[in-house]
Amino acid sequence: MALIKAFIVGGIICAIVQIFIDKTKLMPGRIMTGLVVIGAVLGAVGLYQPFIDFAGAGASIPLLGFGNTLIKGVKEAVDANGFLGTFMGGFKASAVGISGALIFGFISALIFKSKMQG
């Protein structure tokens, strides 16, 4: 049942984002940044964790979940290290995801030939 909920919730999030891409003049980068900010705001006010508890990976894997992870890391680091935690908490909490994106992006660049679009 958890897999079905994750699939449905993740699919709904992706469908909503696709509608934004298709129906607005917003660039995809701005939409992606907006998703991270929305996830961070929802996490900061405590609304995102119940959503993750319900949907599991369907809520934690999309960019909304990345924003939530960043803010959770900042909160924990600020509690442990004070003001300095503001700068290091987000990186510490999301280091694995950022590293994975960099490594797999590099491997993809080695394997595939990219073409400039213009």
Side-chain angles (χ1 to χ4, degrees), residues 1-11 51-60:
M1 188 63 179
L3 292 175
I4 294 170
K5 281 197 284 189
F7 179 77
I8 291 171
V9 170
F51 186 49
I52 290 174
D53 294 341
F54 170 75
S60 64

Side-chain angles (χ1 to χ4, degrees), residues 12-53:
I12 290 170
I13 291 170
C14 290
I16 291 169
V17 171
Q18 189 63 50
I19 291 168
F20 269 97
I21 291 171
D22 292 343
K23 300 295 181 184
T24 67
K25 293 185 180 191
L26 292 172
M27 299 298 290
R30 290 184 183 201
I31 293 172
M32 290 170 44
T33 303
L35 289 169
V36 173
V37 170
I38 291 168
V41 169
L42 291 175
V45 297
L47 295 176
Y48 206 76
Q49 190 58 47
F51 186 49
I52 290 174
D53 294 341

Side-chain angles (χ1 to χ4, degrees), residues 86-107:
T86 305
F87 302 105
M88 60 190 243
F91 291 114
K92 218 172 180 183
S94 60
V96 173
I98 294 170
S99 298
L102 289 171
I103 291 167
F104 289 115
F106 179 73
I107 291 170

